[in-house]
Amino acid sequence: MTSKRTKLQEDTHFRVLRLLQENPEMSQRELAEVVGVSVGGMHYVLNALIDKGLVKLGNFTAAEDKRRYAYVLTPKGIARKASLTRAFLVRKMEEYEVLKEEIEALQLDLESNTPEKQS
């Protein structure tokens, strides 16, 4: 069974890889804000993705500030994003089914306890 920490880490990696595939020029600050982690945490995540060979650093040539980087997914990163997408989707569908069942049970409970049904 995958630990809660591992799931959270995978979700974060998935979200970062997805964002970077769409917008490689996003800054660490922008990524951190969208993903909901600190800038320091995002720095750690990006370094981990780079160390794993999933993301590579490139210069963002269109920026006025030449110190800005583009975070580009490598072929390995694209493949990892696909597998994380599958795992994320399966997990969210399972969560959805559990939540849907809970909502249906609550609706039935509410309907059976309304005053007009009790008379």
Side-chain angles (χ1 to χ4, degrees):
M1 173 110 188
T2 308
S3 73
K4 194 172 191 175
R5 182 177 178 189
T6 302
K7 287 179 186 177
L8 183 60
Q9 184 180 43
E10 284 182 357
D11 285 357
T12 302
H13 286 188
F14 163 70
R15 287 185 168 102
V16 170
L17 289 171
R18 186 172 175 207
L19 286 165
L20 290 177
Q21 189 170 30
E22 296 168 3
N23 303 300
E25 72 282 356
M26 286 184 81
S27 69
Q28 288 186 21
R29 185 170 307 283
E30 292 167 332
L31 286 166
E33 187 176 315
V34 173
V35 175
V37 299
S38 69
V39 176
M42 183 52 61
H43 181 76
Y44 175 81
V45 168
L46 287 170
N47 281 334
L49 294 173
I50 291 167
D51 290 345
K52 291 178 180 181
L54 305 178
V55 173
K56 65 180 179 178
L57 273 177
N59 285 332
F60 184 50
T61 56
E64 288 181 23
D65 182 358
K66 297 301 178 192
R67 295 172 295 175
R68 284 212 44 198
Y69 296 105
Y71 299 97
V72 181
L73 270 63
T74 63
K76 184 177 174 182
I78 293 168
R80 179 68 178 145
K81 180 188 161 279
S83 69
L84 286 172
T85 301
R86 278 189 286 282
F88 183 84
L89 186 58
V90 166
R91 193 166 53 254
K92 292 301 176 184
M93 290 300 294
E94 289 171 355
E95 291 173 12
Y96 168 76
E97 290 301 325
V98 169
L99 187 57
K100 190 171 113 178
E101 288 174 13
E102 186 176 358
I103 289 169
E104 289 170 356
L106 289 169
Q107 285 174 328
L108 287 173
D109 186 45
L110 186 61
E111 289 171 6
S112 67
N113 289 320
T114 56
E116 54 277 351
K117 298 277 183 181
Q118 293 179 354
S119 28

